Amino acid sequence: MKKIEAIIKPFKLDDVREALSDVGITGMTVSEVKGFGRQKGHTEIYRGAEYMVDFLPKVKLEIVIADEQVDICINTIIETAQTGKIGDGKIFVYDVERVIRIRTAEENEEAI
């Protein structure tokens, strides 16, 4: 099993969720996060004063899937979340040792 963490632009969330659902990936956790990479923020003007916005709003998706779903999941996120502009985000893939569904005590792939 693998855990996919994807950091994407907030306005792409609905498109990514729908595209993942279309390929059979329905369970995910979504968090609103802030951060920056090469994008390094930007300046904005508020009431005539210019100020730096260092941390930009992003969305983090966390998805635990079977090994055979990893490539389709990654490709779907890339195709759907990509705008071609800086700040599109990142995808991280981790090994998952064990998963347990609390309600039924099912484990691993049965618990996903």
Side-chain angles (χ1 to χ4, degrees):
M1 292 174 298
K2 303 288 187 203
K3 178 180 181 182
I4 307 290
E5 280 188 11
I7 310 295
I8 63 171
K9 292 182 175 184
F11 70 89
K12 286 293 193 172
L13 175 60
D14 287 335
D15 293 340
V16 171
R17 185 193 51 78
E18 287 177 21
L20 287 171
S21 181
D22 290 345
V23 296
I25 299 168
T26 55
M28 68 181 68
T29 301
V30 178
S31 306
E32 292 180 5
V33 296
K34 292 183 180 187
F36 70 91
R38 290 186 185 159
Q39 198 175 5
K40 296 197 173 65
H42 63 278
T43 57
E44 290 187 2
I45 297 176
Y46 178 72
R47 295 189 178 188
E50 187 173 319
Y51 65 98
M52 185 69 179
V53 177
D54 291 328
F55 293 100
L56 301 172
K58 302 285 182 178
V59 172
K60 178 167 75 168
L61 306 175
E62 297 176 83
I63 307 163
V64 177
I65 54 177
D67 290 339
E68 58 269 9
Q69 293 179 298
V70 171
D71 290 336
I72 190 74
C73 181
I74 290 171
N75 292 335
T76 301
I77 293 169
I78 290 170
E79 290 169 9
T80 311
Q82 191 175 63
T83 67
K85 296 187 172 76
I86 194 165
D88 275 352
K90 298 261 190 314
I91 299 173
F92 304 93
V93 181
Y94 306 95
D95 286 324
V96 174
E97 188 174 315
R98 190 173 177 197
V99 175
I100 301 149
R101 177 175 286 137
I102 294 171
R103 179 176 54 87
T104 62
E106 292 172 300
E107 293 198 28
N108 300 324
E109 291 187 15
E110 291 81 29
I112 297 180

